[in-house]
Amino acid sequence: AEHSDAFSGVTVETRTVRDYPFGALCAHALGYTGTPSEDQVSNAPSNRDIQLTDDVGKSGIESAYDNLLAGDHGQRVVTVDAQGNVVDVVSETKATRGSDVYLTIKGSVQYAADEALASLIAPGDGVIGTGKGVGGAVVAMDVRDGSIIALSSYPTFDPTNWVGGLSTEANNVYNSDSAHAPLQNRVTAGLYAAASTFKPFTGLAGLEYGFAEGRSWDCTGKWDGFNTGSPQWCWNHNGHGYLDFRGGIVNSCDVVFYEIAKNFFYASKSQGGNLSDTAIQEMVQRFDFGKKAGIDIGGEVEGLVPTPEWKATRWRNVPANATWTGGDYTNMIIGQGDVQVTPIQVAAAYGGIATGKIMKPHLLKEVRNASGQKVVSYEPEVVTEPDVDQRYLEIVRDALRGVVTENEGIASLFAESGIKAAGKTGTAEHTDKGDDAWFVCYAPYDDPKYVVATVIEQGGGGSAVAAPVGAKVMEAVMAADAGSNDASSMGRIAGSSGRQIEGFSTKSASRSD
């Protein structure tokens, strides 16, 4: 620039360089950037000038807050000679940098979640089949204000691959069947049967309508309350013996919930009773299942709480399958059948049980302009306060505390750290693949601050597989809460290798909660 006369036709420009020192850490929350599409250029917001040479956000925070992160190009009006050389600058507007977006994510917790999933699922150089399951998700949230402390989805991707444009080789890896959808954010877009994590919510319906409190049931391991000749099984085929409602949650006994479902069925209007055919669904919908949780990144899905009306529409061309039956009640009440939830919904809903309020989850903490001044601070938003009797909430909270303290394996996970947690396991069955493992917990039990929801696709039992991951992440959460958010303990997280052991199968023989 100082000797421009010696370098005719050469200009000096300042360019940005993207660097991801921790690789795939927090990849699904951060997202990635890329060349804008023609639609993005032609339909840019009124306050934004997008050019084909720009990088724009394509997913995650990069996309959600692209307008804040992007600056202005600036403009220079010049005169040139006949050869095209600049001879004079008529006017110039300097380019300006965008704002800085600060997130609620805590690095040490995010690393603990990302590392725990990778170590469990693909410990052998990122190859699926060397561990347990084929994918998974963990989300940690502050139940007091909805702040997302960690959002982890596995398999994951390395945003570095998008710098300069995604190569054909990387694109093929990410879209191969053996890679198991590393671009999918399983926290917000992964749909799963809720399994036994649903029981606290359906159990609240049982309490409200008088089908649970003060009763006891005998679990023999199988149940045929509708006399069909085809019994449904409890996950414990040997049976739990006599249990009350609390014992039903602590031991995750399916038979207890089959009995509650039977009461709802026979009391429903379709069977000549006075109770709504959707009484159970209406309770779980108070906790916003079947709705988007509202997190501030795109791609979130709604999930499904099945109803008689939904089933009639779903099977309108097969009338024999369109009737809502007692079996639909017993499947739904234990979170099986057609129930579909996302990890972010489950985390928010358990926050509702813990505190009586469901907060809108968010990743944005604050925005600062180019001068470093804070121009936006996120204001916590209460989405809803479920209309549930406080006494019934206390009954369920006590049972969830019992899950953690009275099940030896889970109790040992929290004993060393001294965390007073409450939680619930779940194991979702499939007919054609392995079980999904669930574990949800919140802590401290007597003064709830955080919730952690974990799911491992085709990983096996909730207690054995998901609970250790959830407990490890909760330990990192509480350590960060105590002031330890040490970046020196963080390492690089690898993106998907796209590989799976040939012939790998997760099909499991039986369910265990």
Side-chain angles (χ1 to χ4, degrees):
E2 293 177 355
H3 301 280
S4 58
D5 56 331
F7 299 96
S8 177
V10 177
T11 60
V12 179
E13 296 179 356
T14 300
R15 295 184 178 181
T16 58
V17 177
R18 284 185 172 269
D19 183 35
Y20 297 89
F22 296 106
L25 183 81
C26 201
H28 291 90
L30 293 176
Y32 57 87
T33 63
T35 302
S37 64
E38 290 186 9
D39 182 66
Q40 285 177 306
V41 173
S42 58
N43 294 304
S46 59
N47 62 341
R48 179 82 191 281
D49 174 30
I50 299 178
Q51 300 178 5
L52 287 173
T53 54
D54 290 342
D55 272 347
V56 296
K58 293 289 190 176
S59 71
I61 288 293
E62 292 279 16
S63 175
Y65 296 106
D66 183 71
N67 286 346
L68 292 173
L69 292 164
D72 293 322
H73 292 101
Q75 188 176 51
R76 175 183 291 173
V77 178
V78 300
T79 57
V80 297
D81 60 21
Q83 286 72 44
N85 297 314
V86 175
V87 296
D88 189 25
V89 176
V90 178
S91 65
E92 182 175 11
T93 303
K94 291 188 176 295
T96 58
R97 55 168 285 186
S99 298
D100 292 331
V101 171
Y102 289 77
L103 305 184
T104 58
I105 295 287
K106 294 186 178 180
S108 60
V109 182
Q110 181 67 45
Y111 178 74
D114 282 351
E115 194 277 332
L117 287 179
S119 296
L120 174 72
I121 298 168
D125 294 327
V127 179
I128 302 292
T130 58
K132 296 180 179 179
V134 300
V138 177
V139 57
M141 186 180 81
D142 189 323
V143 299
R144 298 165 296 181
D145 63 6
S147 299
I148 300 299
I149 309 302
L151 188 153
S152 182
S153 181
Y154 193 88
T156 188
F157 62 89
D158 191 336
T160 304
N161 289 327
W162 271 266
V163 176
L166 187 65
S167 68
T168 300
E169 181 183 3
N171 183 64
N172 290 338
V173 167
Y174 288 146
N175 288 286
S176 66
D177 290 339
S178 61
H180 292 278
L183 301 184
Q184 182 189 38
N185 183 348
R186 286 165 162 83
V187 171
T188 61
L191 286 172
Y192 305 93
S196 294
T197 64
F198 221 44
K199 289 174 180 175
F201 307 98
T202 57
L204 282 169
L207 290 168
E208 183 167 286
Y209 289 100
F211 299 142
E213 191 174 11
R215 300 194 182 195
S216 62
W217 304 268
D218 182 18
C219 171
T220 62
K222 62 181 179 179
W223 181 88
D224 190 15
F226 295 123
N227 299 313
T228 63
S230 299
Q232 291 177 270
W233 290 89
C234 180
W235 71 266
N236 182 351
H237 288 195
N238 294 320
H240 290 105
Y242 281 95
L243 293 172
D244 59 7
F245 175 74
R246 182 182 184 279
I249 289 183
V250 171
N251 294 280
S252 203
C253 177
D254 295 325
V255 168
V256 166
F257 282 82
Y258 295 153
E259 285 287 339
I260 294 172
K262 183 178 76 171
N263 280 298
F264 274 99
F265 177 65
Y266 284 126
S268 66
K269 290 181 180 178
S270 64
Q271 301 302 307
N274 297 316
L275 200 60
S276 167
D277 290 337
T278 58
I280 300 177
Q281 292 94 324
E282 290 163 17
M283 174 58 77
V284 299
Q285 286 168 343
R286 294 181 204 176
F287 288 85
D288 280 359
F289 286 106
K291 293 181 181 179
K292 294 180 181 179
I295 191 171
D296 52 341
I297 52 176
E300 186 183 357
V301 297
E302 294 182 343
L304 175 65
V305 179
T307 64
E309 181 181 5
W310 170 85
K311 189 178 182 184
T313 301
R314 167 71 174 80
W315 294 100
R316 59 185 176 275
N317 296 324
V318 188
N321 294 340
T323 303
W324 189 262
T325 67
D328 291 311
Y329 274 93
T330 52
N331 280 330
M332 182 189 63
I333 202 168
I334 63 168
Q336 291 278 170
D338 295 305
V339 172
Q340 291 186 322
V341 300
T342 64
I344 192 68
Q345 287 175 334
V346 172
Y350 269 79
I353 284 183
T355 68
K357 296 179 180 180
I358 295 179
M359 304 301 298
K360 186 174 183 177
H362 63 96
L363 287 156
L364 179 68
K365 180 180 181 182
E366 63 188 33
V367 179
R368 297 187 182 184
N369 64 19
S371 301
Q373 298 170 317
K374 188 186 300 184
V375 292
V376 175
S377 291
Y378 186 88
E379 294 296 328
E381 179 180 340
V382 178
V383 176
T384 186
E385 297 184 40
D387 182 17
V388 182
D389 190 299
Q390 184 68 25
R391 187 167 64 86
Y392 299 149
L393 279 176
E394 291 295 343
I395 290 173
V396 169
R397 290 167 183 165
D398 176 62
L400 294 176
R401 175 62 173 154
V403 170
V404 172
T405 60
E406 297 172 31
N407 290 288
E408 184 177 350
I410 299 175
S412 65
L413 295 173
F414 291 94
E416 186 173 343
S417 62
I419 297 173
K420 295 180 179 179
K424 187 71 191 75
T425 58
T427 307
E429 290 182 292
H430 302 282
T431 58
D432 58 346
K433 57 186 179 180
D435 299 341
D436 294 336
W438 276 100
F439 183 63
V440 191
C441 60
Y442 64 85
Y445 162 69
D446 51 359
D447 182 22
K449 294 182 179 179
Y450 305 103
V451 62
V452 174
T454 304
V455 63
I456 308 298
E457 290 179 19
Q458 304 178 53
S463 297
V465 179
V469 174
K472 180 178 181 179
V473 174
M474 181 59 84
E475 184 174 356
V477 169
M478 298 307 293
D481 181 76
S484 175
N485 189 25
D486 186 7
S488 66
S489 64
M490 296 161 54
R492 188 177 181 87
I493 297 294
S496 173
S497 70
R499 293 180 292 158
Q500 174 181 282
I501 291 178
E502 187 175 352
F504 172 64
S505 173
T506 62
K507 188 70 178 83
S508 55
S510 62
R511 170 175 154 241
S512 60
D513 240 343

